[in-house]
Amino acid sequence: MTDEDLIAAARAAAGHSWSPYSNFAVGAALRFADGAVVTGTNIENASFGMALCAETVAVAKAMADGRRGGLEAIAVSGPGPDPITPCGRCRQVLYELAALGGTDPEVLCVGPDAVHRIRLSVLLPAAFGPASLT
Ligand code: THU
């Protein structure tokens, strides 16, 4: 699974977005050390505050399947002209899974033309995580 494949998976995942309230479809794809890819998309609700972000859905899917670490790369694709970065809550949710395996995944922020690459540790410096509770 190349970076281009991961980007394509994030874009494809946005096709399943349930976002009739924001009309802002987001797709996310997580790549793991064993080569597996887990995708997510944003799921909104008539009770607006219940919306789930694409990255959080992807992490929940992966962890529900038993994954604990091994997170190497993340692609996030939004509908706008510019790449989007994960929201603050998603950064924290992504960090939990990454920290469990001791990785610092590269985040590929995907726009229609450009891809920005930023390490999760740059997006969320001095993170609170599992080790903070010991
Ligand atoms: N959204 C995501 O899925 N991921 C982010 O990192 C930022 C925002 C979603 C939430 C909501 O459904 C829509 O984008 C507009 O905020």
Side-chain angles (χ1 to χ4, degrees):
M1 171 66 70
T2 65
D3 284 355
E4 287 309 311
D5 292 333
L6 191 69
I7 289 166
R11 286 185 169 134
H16 295 299
S17 172
W18 176 247
S19 49
Y21 310 108
S22 71
N23 287 309
F24 196 87
V26 181
L30 313 179
R31 184 172 68 219
F32 291 86
D34 65 358
V37 170
V38 178
T39 61
T41 189
N42 54 327
I43 307 293
E44 298 185 345
N45 191 282
S47 179
F48 297 162
M50 300 294 104
L52 301 173
C53 287
E55 304 93 314
T56 290
V57 168
V59 170
K61 284 174 64 180
M63 295 192 73
D65 282 344
R67 293 191 176 274
R68 300 288 187 269
L71 183 57
E72 289 192 340
I74 301 149
V76 184
S77 175
D82 297 316
I84 62 165
T85 56
C87 79
R89 183 175 189 272
C90 287
R91 296 177 194 197
Q92 183 69 33
V93 170
L94 289 163
Y95 180 73
E96 180 83 12
L97 181 53
L100 289 174
T103 61
D104 182 13
E106 190 170 44
V107 182
L108 282 62
C109 305
V110 180
D113 305 313
V115 177
H116 295 168
R117 296 166 180 270
I118 314 172
R119 290 278 166 196
L120 184 58
S121 61
V122 175
L123 290 172
L124 190 68
F128 180 89
S132 308
L133 295 174
T134 57

